[in-house]
């Protein structure tokens, strides 16, 4: 499915993880994140264990560490916020390298950093091993409201079309000597964005017309039914279940 | 406003003169499309159609010609009930277009819109072609077979799993035709089928359309294309059918053409085209 069309996060392969039905992977990734988030932050030893679990998945999926780490960079802007926390949080303070840091803030930063990184890593792994199209089928299978699935599906279909339209508008502007060189030119860019919005809106109307003409009555027909065997579910759920064991230990110890 | 002044033949044009007219233009079954007294005004008061009458027999290929703003698109949107007539009726194979039969009407009338990017809205070619039949309730192997057959007919079967935006424009137009063929329509309505196509894609599409065993109504400005594919033409002008007759005769009538802002491309002489053999017409078109 979707040969020749791969989104940038996807990494083509034939590993056992790639082969799992999309909805089992979605459920597993979501459950894993929930388990990680509900782990007490004081159980520091639990987090390397979680990371090791993800590492094992990456190994089975044959996703190289470099690939995974590069994709993790998306997290950086959020991390910047976490780094601020020890400086601004209230409460008891400790001296580290001559800086006065809040203990609460340190715990908070650690909490955000560890859980966020694990969540992003799980998502990156999911995206690297599942095609966009399959993700949509999985969401549909997991009974996400059909309207949301439709919106996501149209985003994928028309993303390139609209980007292309934007590119043509930029070329048309440049051909008439326009160059955005500062705040004074933002007005022109804003008008372009407005025009793009209206064009997209009108395209939406035409697409709707085409859909209605082919019998659309509010819901997209389910053309591909994805199914998973018991064994496939158990492979997929191995990840969140082992994580759950770690989490429970974290609460008990 | 004006009543229909042009002579309207009661039935299909003289059979046998043209390829594409179904040999079994039997008088028995209802016409593929029957439009009578169709009038329509937009909510803002602009009246687009003033009593349109015509009839298309099963298996005919008819061109609908007319200048911009003649009401061609408005007419097309009445054929499958997107717009509802202010007065008059539209019947598809005998079935009137109204709220009760809407699902069946939309299955019977296959409209191919001008921009394939509007028509192809699903993530892959296969799913797009499957959309219509699946909406009608088809599933599984039957659906798969329907998709394969439709793609086969437009020569796009090996592109089944591609996303539409990775195809060339001509290929997308062909897939758009397949999405409609998959619904096994009574009549295929094409809005400007040759627009934006390079000459090779244009010829490929003509070959495909000629090979289909289905009634075709082709809305176009492209007069040579109409002559090549459609033995009969209708001229829609200012909301009425101004002329209805064999395409070659209409195009040769300079006065009629001028009166309705229809212009032949430079150097094109419809009288020099051998309509019987469209392939040789390709090379002999321009004198």
């Amino acid at each position: 499915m979707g040969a020749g069309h791969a989104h940038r996060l996807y990494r083509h392969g034939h590993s056992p993880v790639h082969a799992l039905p999309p909805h089992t992977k979605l459920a597993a990734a979501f459950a894993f994140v929930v388990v990680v988030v509900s782990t007490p932050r004081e159980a520091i030893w639990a987090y390397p264990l979680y990371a090791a679990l993800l590492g094992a998945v990456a190994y089975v999926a044959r996703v190289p560490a470099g690939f995974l780490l590069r994709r993790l960079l998306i997290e950086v802007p959020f991390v910047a916020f976490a780094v601020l926390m020890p400086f601004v949080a209230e409460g008891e303070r400790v001296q580290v390298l001559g800086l006065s840091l809040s203990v609460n803030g340190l715990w908070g930063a650690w909490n955000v950093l560890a859980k966020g990184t694990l969540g992003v890593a799980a998502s990156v792994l999911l995206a690297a091993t599942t095609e966009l199209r399959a993700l949509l089928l999985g969401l549909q299978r997991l009974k996400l409201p059909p309207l949301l699935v439709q919106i996501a599906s149209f985003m994928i279909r028309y993303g390139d079309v609209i980007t292309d339209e934007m590119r043509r508008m930029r070329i048309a502007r440049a051909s008439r000597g326009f160059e955005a060189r500062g705040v004074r030119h933002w007005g022109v860019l804003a008008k372009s964005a407005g025009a793009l919005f209206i064009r997209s809106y009108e395209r939406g109307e035409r697409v709707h017309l085409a859909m209605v003409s082919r019998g659309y009555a509010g819901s997209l027909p389910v053309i591909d039914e994805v199914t998973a065997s018991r064994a496939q579910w158990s492979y997929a759920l191995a990840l969140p279940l082992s994580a759950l064991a770690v989490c429970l230990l974290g609460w008990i110890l | 406003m004006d009543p229909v002044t042009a002579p309207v033949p009661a039935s299909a044009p003289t059979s046998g003169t043209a390829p594409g007219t179904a040999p079994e233009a039997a008088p028995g079954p209802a016409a593929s499309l029957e439009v009578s007294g169709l009038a329509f005004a937009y909510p803002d008061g602009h009246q687009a159609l003033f009593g349109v009458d015509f009839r298309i027999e099963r298996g005919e290929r008819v061109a609908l010609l007319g200048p911009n703003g003649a009401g061609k698109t408005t007419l097309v949107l009445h054929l499958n009930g997107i717009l509802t007539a202010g007065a008059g009726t539209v019947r598809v194979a005998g079935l009137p277009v109204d709220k009760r039969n809407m699902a069946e009407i939309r299955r019977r009338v296959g409209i191919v819109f001008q921009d394939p990017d509007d028509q192809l809205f699903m993530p892959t070619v296969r799913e797009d072609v499957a959309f219509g039949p699946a909406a009608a309730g088809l599933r599984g192997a039957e659906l798969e077979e329907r998709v394969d057959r439709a793609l086969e007919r437009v020569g796009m079967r090996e592109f089944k799993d591609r996303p539409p935006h990775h195809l060339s424009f001509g290929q997308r137009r062909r897939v758009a035709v397949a999405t409609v063929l998959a619904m096994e329509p009574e009549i295929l309505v094409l809005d400007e089928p040759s627009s934006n196509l390079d000459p090779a894609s244009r010829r490929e599409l003509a070959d495909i359309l000629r090979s289909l065993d289905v009634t075709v109504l082709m809305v176009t400005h492209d007069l040579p294309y109409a002559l090549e594919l459609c033995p009969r033409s209708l001229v829609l002008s200012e909301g009425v059918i101004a002329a209805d007759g064999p395409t070659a005769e209409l195009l040769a009538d300079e006065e009629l053409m001028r009166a309705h802002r229809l212009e032949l491309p430079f150097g094109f002489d419809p009288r020099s085209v051998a309509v019987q053999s469209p392939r040789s017409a390709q090379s002999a078109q321009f004198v």
Side-chain angles (χ1 to χ4, degrees), chain A residues 113-141:
Chain A
L113 204 61
K115 291 179 179 177
T117 308
L118 287 167
V120 172
S123 316
V124 167
L125 272 177
L126 175 67
T129 57
T130 320
E131 286 193 66
L132 272 181
R133 181 65 204 127
L135 278 177
L136 286 181
L137 290 175
L139 290 171
Q140 198 169 24
R141 185 70 179 66

PDB file of all heavy atoms in Angstrom, chain A residues 113-141:
ATOM      1  N   LEU A 113      11.118  16.251  31.390  1.00  0.00           N
ATOM      2  CA  LEU A 113      12.148  15.821  30.457  1.00  0.00           C
ATOM      3  C   LEU A 113      12.077  14.316  30.205  1.00  0.00           C
ATOM      4  O   LEU A 113      12.022  13.848  29.061  1.00  0.00           O
ATOM      5  CB  LEU A 113      13.512  16.186  31.047  1.00  0.00           C
ATOM      6  CG  LEU A 113      14.644  16.340  30.055  1.00  0.00           C
ATOM      7  CD1 LEU A 113      14.301  17.468  29.087  1.00  0.00           C
ATOM      8  CD2 LEU A 113      15.935  16.669  30.800  1.00  0.00           C
ATOM      9  N   ALA A 114      12.028  13.542  31.277  1.00  0.00           N
ATOM     10  CA  ALA A 114      12.065  12.081  31.143  1.00  0.00           C
ATOM     11  C   ALA A 114      10.804  11.579  30.458  1.00  0.00           C
ATOM     12  O   ALA A 114      10.861  10.823  29.479  1.00  0.00           O
ATOM     13  CB  ALA A 114      12.215  11.448  32.521  1.00  0.00           C
ATOM     14  N   LYS A 115       9.657  12.020  30.942  1.00  0.00           N
ATOM     15  CA  LYS A 115       8.411  11.508  30.392  1.00  0.00           C
ATOM     16  C   LYS A 115       8.200  11.994  28.964  1.00  0.00           C
ATOM     17  O   LYS A 115       7.750  11.238  28.095  1.00  0.00           O
ATOM     18  CB  LYS A 115       7.237  11.907  31.299  1.00  0.00           C
ATOM     19  CG  LYS A 115       7.294  11.174  32.634  1.00  0.00           C
ATOM     20  CD  LYS A 115       6.180  11.560  33.561  1.00  0.00           C
ATOM     21  CE  LYS A 115       6.318  10.743  34.861  1.00  0.00           C
ATOM     22  NZ  LYS A 115       5.305  11.131  35.847  1.00  0.00           N
ATOM     23  N   GLY A 116       8.543  13.267  28.745  1.00  0.00           N
ATOM     24  CA  GLY A 116       8.394  13.820  27.383  1.00  0.00           C
ATOM     25  C   GLY A 116       9.261  13.074  26.394  1.00  0.00           C
ATOM     26  O   GLY A 116       8.797  12.662  25.321  1.00  0.00           O
ATOM     27  N   THR A 117      10.519  12.875  26.757  1.00  0.00           N
ATOM     28  CA  THR A 117      11.431  12.207  25.835  1.00  0.00           C
ATOM     29  C   THR A 117      10.947  10.803  25.508  1.00  0.00           C
ATOM     30  O   THR A 117      10.954  10.382  24.355  1.00  0.00           O
ATOM     31  CB  THR A 117      12.847  12.132  26.454  1.00  0.00           C
ATOM     32  OG1 THR A 117      13.202  13.435  26.869  1.00  0.00           O
ATOM     33  CG2 THR A 117      13.852  11.613  25.462  1.00  0.00           C
ATOM     34  N   LEU A 118      10.498  10.083  26.541  1.00  0.00           N
ATOM     35  CA  LEU A 118      10.013   8.721  26.293  1.00  0.00           C
ATOM     36  C   LEU A 118       8.780   8.744  25.392  1.00  0.00           C
ATOM     37  O   LEU A 118       8.654   7.919  24.484  1.00  0.00           O
ATOM     38  CB  LEU A 118       9.701   8.024  27.617  1.00  0.00           C
ATOM     39  CG  LEU A 118      10.946   7.614  28.408  1.00  0.00           C
ATOM     40  CD1 LEU A 118      10.570   7.227  29.835  1.00  0.00           C
ATOM     41  CD2 LEU A 118      11.673   6.463  27.709  1.00  0.00           C
ATOM     42  N   GLY A 119       7.879   9.702  25.624  1.00  0.00           N
ATOM     43  CA  GLY A 119       6.672   9.793  24.803  1.00  0.00           C
ATOM     44  C   GLY A 119       7.013  10.103  23.358  1.00  0.00           C
ATOM     45  O   GLY A 119       6.497   9.467  22.425  1.00  0.00           O
ATOM     46  N   VAL A 120       7.913  11.066  23.162  1.00  0.00           N
ATOM     47  CA  VAL A 120       8.310  11.422  21.795  1.00  0.00           C
ATOM     48  C   VAL A 120       8.991  10.235  21.135  1.00  0.00           C
ATOM     49  O   VAL A 120       8.723   9.913  19.970  1.00  0.00           O
ATOM     50  CB  VAL A 120       9.239  12.657  21.798  1.00  0.00           C
ATOM     51  CG1 VAL A 120       9.796  12.907  20.413  1.00  0.00           C
ATOM     52  CG2 VAL A 120       8.476  13.875  22.286  1.00  0.00           C
ATOM     53  N   ALA A 121       9.848   9.537  21.881  1.00  0.00           N
ATOM     54  CA  ALA A 121      10.561   8.396  21.295  1.00  0.00           C
ATOM     55  C   ALA A 121       9.562   7.317  20.856  1.00  0.00           C
ATOM     56  O   ALA A 121       9.689   6.741  19.773  1.00  0.00           O
ATOM     57  CB  ALA A 121      11.561   7.828  22.293  1.00  0.00           C
ATOM     58  N   ALA A 122       8.534   7.080  21.693  1.00  0.00           N
ATOM     59  CA  ALA A 122       7.541   6.070  21.320  1.00  0.00           C
ATOM     60  C   ALA A 122       6.806   6.503  20.053  1.00  0.00           C
ATOM     61  O   ALA A 122       6.569   5.698  19.150  1.00  0.00           O
ATOM     62  CB  ALA A 122       6.547   5.866  22.463  1.00  0.00           C
ATOM     63  N   SER A 123       6.462   7.805  19.959  1.00  0.00           N
ATOM     64  CA  SER A 123       5.752   8.293  18.772  1.00  0.00           C
ATOM     65  C   SER A 123       6.632   8.199  17.537  1.00  0.00           C
ATOM     66  O   SER A 123       6.169   7.830  16.452  1.00  0.00           O
ATOM     67  CB  SER A 123       5.325   9.744  18.956  1.00  0.00           C
ATOM     68  OG  SER A 123       4.786   9.933  20.221  1.00  0.00           O
ATOM     69  N   VAL A 124       7.908   8.560  17.707  1.00  0.00           N
ATOM     70  CA  VAL A 124       8.813   8.503  16.562  1.00  0.00           C
ATOM     71  C   VAL A 124       8.921   7.064  16.054  1.00  0.00           C
ATOM     72  O   VAL A 124       8.891   6.801  14.851  1.00  0.00           O
ATOM     73  CB  VAL A 124      10.210   9.060  16.935  1.00  0.00           C
ATOM     74  CG1 VAL A 124      11.237   8.725  15.873  1.00  0.00           C
ATOM     75  CG2 VAL A 124      10.132  10.556  17.138  1.00  0.00           C
ATOM     76  N   LEU A 125       8.998   6.124  16.993  1.00  0.00           N
ATOM     77  CA  LEU A 125       9.069   4.712  16.591  1.00  0.00           C
ATOM     78  C   LEU A 125       7.807   4.290  15.858  1.00  0.00           C
ATOM     79  O   LEU A 125       7.861   3.616  14.826  1.00  0.00           O
ATOM     80  CB  LEU A 125       9.250   3.826  17.825  1.00  0.00           C
ATOM     81  CG  LEU A 125      10.684   3.586  18.267  1.00  0.00           C
ATOM     82  CD1 LEU A 125      10.691   2.753  19.535  1.00  0.00           C
ATOM     83  CD2 LEU A 125      11.466   2.879  17.169  1.00  0.00           C
ATOM     84  N   LEU A 126       6.674   4.732  16.369  1.00  0.00           N
ATOM     85  CA  LEU A 126       5.401   4.398  15.722  1.00  0.00           C
ATOM     86  C   LEU A 126       5.380   4.951  14.299  1.00  0.00           C
ATOM     87  O   LEU A 126       5.055   4.245  13.341  1.00  0.00           O
ATOM     88  CB  LEU A 126       4.247   4.979  16.540  1.00  0.00           C
ATOM     89  CG  LEU A 126       2.849   4.832  15.940  1.00  0.00           C
ATOM     90  CD1 LEU A 126       2.442   3.368  15.913  1.00  0.00           C
ATOM     91  CD2 LEU A 126       1.829   5.633  16.729  1.00  0.00           C
ATOM     92  N   ALA A 127       5.778   6.225  14.167  1.00  0.00           N
ATOM     93  CA  ALA A 127       5.729   6.862  12.845  1.00  0.00           C
ATOM     94  C   ALA A 127       6.750   6.245  11.900  1.00  0.00           C
ATOM     95  O   ALA A 127       6.525   6.166  10.697  1.00  0.00           O
ATOM     96  CB  ALA A 127       5.986   8.361  12.986  1.00  0.00           C
ATOM     97  N   ALA A 128       7.892   5.788  12.469  1.00  0.00           N
ATOM     98  CA  ALA A 128       8.939   5.232  11.618  1.00  0.00           C
ATOM     99  C   ALA A 128       8.541   3.863  11.073  1.00  0.00           C
ATOM    100  O   ALA A 128       9.067   3.412  10.064  1.00  0.00           O
ATOM    101  CB  ALA A 128      10.251   5.130  12.396  1.00  0.00           C
ATOM    102  N   THR A 129       7.621   3.204  11.759  1.00  0.00           N
ATOM    103  CA  THR A 129       7.303   1.833  11.343  1.00  0.00           C
ATOM    104  C   THR A 129       5.893   1.706  10.767  1.00  0.00           C
ATOM    105  O   THR A 129       5.484   0.620  10.413  1.00  0.00           O
ATOM    106  CB  THR A 129       7.411   0.868  12.536  1.00  0.00           C
ATOM    107  OG1 THR A 129       6.541   1.338  13.560  1.00  0.00           O
ATOM    108  CG2 THR A 129       8.817   0.790  13.070  1.00  0.00           C
ATOM    109  N   THR A 130       5.150   2.812  10.696  1.00  0.00           N
ATOM    110  CA  THR A 130       3.773   2.742  10.205  1.00  0.00           C
ATOM    111  C   THR A 130       3.546   3.842   9.191  1.00  0.00           C
ATOM    112  O   THR A 130       3.863   5.003   9.451  1.00  0.00           O
ATOM    113  CB  THR A 130       2.776   2.947  11.368  1.00  0.00           C
ATOM    114  OG1 THR A 130       3.262   2.252  12.504  1.00  0.00           O
ATOM    115  CG2 THR A 130       1.405   2.431  11.003  1.00  0.00           C
ATOM    116  N   GLU A 131       3.005   3.498   8.042  1.00  0.00           N
ATOM    117  CA  GLU A 131       2.722   4.524   7.047  1.00  0.00           C
ATOM    118  C   GLU A 131       1.538   5.368   7.471  1.00  0.00           C
ATOM    119  O   GLU A 131       0.652   4.898   8.175  1.00  0.00           O
ATOM    120  CB  GLU A 131       2.414   3.867   5.699  1.00  0.00           C
ATOM    121  CG  GLU A 131       3.663   3.321   5.055  1.00  0.00           C
ATOM    122  CD  GLU A 131       3.398   2.978   3.612  1.00  0.00           C
ATOM    123  OE1 GLU A 131       3.136   3.905   2.832  1.00  0.00           O
ATOM    124  OE2 GLU A 131       3.437   1.792   3.279  1.00  0.00           O
ATOM    125  N   LEU A 132       1.528   6.606   6.987  1.00  0.00           N
ATOM    126  CA  LEU A 132       0.444   7.524   7.338  1.00  0.00           C
ATOM    127  C   LEU A 132      -0.919   6.928   7.047  1.00  0.00           C
ATOM    128  O   LEU A 132      -1.835   6.987   7.850  1.00  0.00           O
ATOM    129  CB  LEU A 132       0.582   8.800   6.516  1.00  0.00           C
ATOM    130  CG  LEU A 132       1.451   9.896   7.100  1.00  0.00           C
ATOM    131  CD1 LEU A 132       1.459  11.081   6.166  1.00  0.00           C
ATOM    132  CD2 LEU A 132       0.904  10.305   8.452  1.00  0.00           C
ATOM    133  N   ARG A 133      -1.011   6.361   5.861  1.00  0.00           N
ATOM    134  CA  ARG A 133      -2.276   5.787   5.425  1.00  0.00           C
ATOM    135  C   ARG A 133      -2.746   4.701   6.406  1.00  0.00           C
ATOM    136  O   ARG A 133      -3.903   4.639   6.790  1.00  0.00           O
ATOM    137  CB  ARG A 133      -2.064   5.207   4.020  1.00  0.00           C
ATOM    138  CG  ARG A 133      -3.263   4.589   3.412  1.00  0.00           C
ATOM    139  CD  ARG A 133      -4.332   5.625   3.157  1.00  0.00           C
ATOM    140  NE  ARG A 133      -5.649   5.002   3.112  1.00  0.00           N
ATOM    141  CZ  ARG A 133      -6.685   5.377   3.821  1.00  0.00           C
ATOM    142  NH1 ARG A 133      -6.569   6.366   4.669  1.00  0.00           N
ATOM    143  NH2 ARG A 133      -7.834   4.790   3.704  1.00  0.00           N
ATOM    144  N   ALA A 134      -1.747   3.867   6.833  1.00  0.00           N
ATOM    145  CA  ALA A 134      -2.072   2.784   7.744  1.00  0.00           C
ATOM    146  C   ALA A 134      -2.480   3.343   9.108  1.00  0.00           C
ATOM    147  O   ALA A 134      -3.383   2.822   9.761  1.00  0.00           O
ATOM    148  CB  ALA A 134      -0.878   1.852   7.889  1.00  0.00           C
ATOM    149  N   LEU A 135      -1.827   4.443   9.507  1.00  0.00           N
ATOM    150  CA  LEU A 135      -2.191   5.060  10.785  1.00  0.00           C
ATOM    151  C   LEU A 135      -3.658   5.470  10.775  1.00  0.00           C
ATOM    152  O   LEU A 135      -4.387   5.275  11.746  1.00  0.00           O
ATOM    153  CB  LEU A 135      -1.322   6.294  11.044  1.00  0.00           C
ATOM    154  CG  LEU A 135       0.064   6.044  11.622  1.00  0.00           C
ATOM    155  CD1 LEU A 135       0.812   7.348  11.755  1.00  0.00           C
ATOM    156  CD2 LEU A 135      -0.048   5.364  12.981  1.00  0.00           C
ATOM    157  N   LEU A 136      -4.083   6.046   9.636  1.00  0.00           N
ATOM    158  CA  LEU A 136      -5.480   6.463   9.527  1.00  0.00           C
ATOM    159  C   LEU A 136      -6.416   5.273   9.641  1.00  0.00           C
ATOM    160  O   LEU A 136      -7.426   5.320  10.342  1.00  0.00           O
ATOM    161  CB  LEU A 136      -5.727   7.161   8.192  1.00  0.00           C
ATOM    162  CG  LEU A 136      -5.166   8.561   8.057  1.00  0.00           C
ATOM    163  CD1 LEU A 136      -5.506   9.112   6.693  1.00  0.00           C
ATOM    164  CD2 LEU A 136      -5.748   9.438   9.137  1.00  0.00           C
ATOM    165  N   LEU A 137      -6.046   4.195   8.949  1.00  0.00           N
ATOM    166  CA  LEU A 137      -6.879   2.985   9.024  1.00  0.00           C
ATOM    167  C   LEU A 137      -6.950   2.493  10.467  1.00  0.00           C
ATOM    168  O   LEU A 137      -8.003   2.067  10.934  1.00  0.00           O
ATOM    169  CB  LEU A 137      -6.306   1.887   8.120  1.00  0.00           C
ATOM    170  CG  LEU A 137      -6.431   2.126   6.620  1.00  0.00           C
ATOM    171  CD1 LEU A 137      -5.711   1.031   5.853  1.00  0.00           C
ATOM    172  CD2 LEU A 137      -7.887   2.191   6.213  1.00  0.00           C
ATOM    173  N   GLY A 138      -5.804   2.576  11.154  1.00  0.00           N
ATOM    174  CA  GLY A 138      -5.753   2.133  12.541  1.00  0.00           C
ATOM    175  C   GLY A 138      -6.658   2.981  13.421  1.00  0.00           C
ATOM    176  O   GLY A 138      -7.410   2.459  14.246  1.00  0.00           O
ATOM    177  N   LEU A 139      -6.600   4.308  13.211  1.00  0.00           N
ATOM    178  CA  LEU A 139      -7.439   5.203  14.014  1.00  0.00           C
ATOM    179  C   LEU A 139      -8.910   4.914  13.761  1.00  0.00           C
ATOM    180  O   LEU A 139      -9.730   4.915  14.675  1.00  0.00           O
ATOM    181  CB  LEU A 139      -7.131   6.664  13.668  1.00  0.00           C
ATOM    182  CG  LEU A 139      -5.766   7.165  14.131  1.00  0.00           C
ATOM    183  CD1 LEU A 139      -5.482   8.540  13.560  1.00  0.00           C
ATOM    184  CD2 LEU A 139      -5.714   7.213  15.653  1.00  0.00           C
ATOM    185  N   GLN A 140      -9.206   4.639  12.483  1.00  0.00           N
ATOM    186  CA  GLN A 140     -10.585   4.328  12.118  1.00  0.00           C
ATOM    187  C   GLN A 140     -11.027   3.054  12.838  1.00  0.00           C
ATOM    188  O   GLN A 140     -12.118   2.975  13.377  1.00  0.00           O
ATOM    189  CB  GLN A 140     -10.620   4.117  10.609  1.00  0.00           C
ATOM    190  CG  GLN A 140     -11.967   4.201   9.983  1.00  0.00           C
ATOM    191  CD  GLN A 140     -11.837   4.244   8.468  1.00  0.00           C
ATOM    192  OE1 GLN A 140     -10.854   3.782   7.891  1.00  0.00           O
ATOM    193  NE2 GLN A 140     -12.825   4.796   7.806  1.00  0.00           N
ATOM    194  N   ARG A 141     -10.109   2.075  12.858  1.00  0.00           N
ATOM    195  CA  ARG A 141     -10.404   0.794  13.490  1.00  0.00           C
ATOM    196  C   ARG A 141     -10.601   0.961  14.986  1.00  0.00           C
ATOM    197  O   ARG A 141     -11.394   0.267  15.605  1.00  0.00           O
ATOM    198  CB  ARG A 141      -9.260  -0.180  13.192  1.00  0.00           C
ATOM    199  CG  ARG A 141      -9.462  -1.585  13.672  1.00  0.00           C
ATOM    200  CD  ARG A 141     -10.549  -2.269  12.839  1.00  0.00           C
ATOM    201  NE  ARG A 141     -10.753  -3.644  13.267  1.00  0.00           N
ATOM    202  CZ  ARG A 141     -11.231  -4.002  14.431  1.00  0.00           C
ATOM    203  NH1 ARG A 141     -11.536  -3.090  15.312  1.00  0.00           N
ATOM    204  NH2 ARG A 141     -11.382  -5.281  14.748  1.00  0.00           N
TER     205      ARG A 141
END
